Amino acid sequence: MGDRSSFVGRALRYSIRTDADSFPNGRLVELYGDSGQIISADVGVPPVNVWVERRVDLAEGSWFVGPTGGGTLATAGQIAGVLGDLERMLVGMEFGGDSGEEVVDLDSVALGICRIDFAAPWGVLSQTDVAVFVDLFFGADPFVAALAAPDDVVSQADVAAFVDLFFAGCP
């Protein structure tokens, strides 16, 4: 935690798997900044018994003000403010309605990664990142392949955004 202001414009990425989907409250990711500032993102409930990757851009259009994952979109300044003095990050992992109902696995948590660095070696853009993006695009995973607004629709605009970002390189 601490000053993560250099992560603005980058992304949070993690992989998750659950064996239950009867309680949707585990779908939120929350970032807590100094003075009680909270931004949150609704990443949806993952499918049952399948590892899925979640990615949330650390940029406008991805986060909401407060802990509900909805309502007022966070501005670039609000996101930068939370990242500038990050105190806590919570990844929701409660997908079963009954106590002890589910098993949830979390892996490969990375905060501040390049938005299009989809595959190892991390920190280097390569043909593997292109191949993974193409697979994600045709698999229509809106949480990973959607790089252009709207975030829940995969379109040609996402391909154009990927190409632009790829040739610009990771900041």
Side-chain angles (χ1 to χ4, degrees), residues 12 109 120 132 162:
L12 161 67
V109 178
V132 171
F162 178 84

Side-chain angles (χ1 to χ4, degrees), residues 126-157:
S126 67
Q127 290 178 348
T128 306
D129 296 303
V130 174
V132 171
F133 173 77
V134 169
D135 288 344
L136 293 168
F137 180 83
F138 286 110
D141 186 335
F143 292 106
V144 181
L147 297 171
D151 289 339
D152 60 347
V153 176
V154 180
S155 69
Q156 293 299 324

Side-chain angles (χ1 to χ4, degrees), residues 71-144:
T72 304
L73 281 169
T75 66
Q78 289 168 319
I79 294 166
V82 169
L83 290 173
D85 191 9
L86 189 62
E87 293 184 355
R88 183 170 42 162
M89 178 177 77
L90 301 177
V91 176
M93 296 175 47
E94 180 66 41
F95 303 110
D98 297 326
S99 178
E101 174 186 352
E102 81 275 19
V103 173
V104 179
D105 300 306
L106 180 68
D107 194 20
S108 303
V109 178
L111 180 65
I113 57 139
C114 177
R115 291 176 59 202
I116 61 166
D117 192 357
F118 293 120
W122 306 113
V124 176
L125 295 180
S126 67
Q127 290 178 348
T128 306
D129 296 303
V130 174
V132 171
F133 173 77
V134 169
D135 288 344
L136 293 168
F137 180 83
F138 286 110
D141 186 335
F143 292 106
V144 181

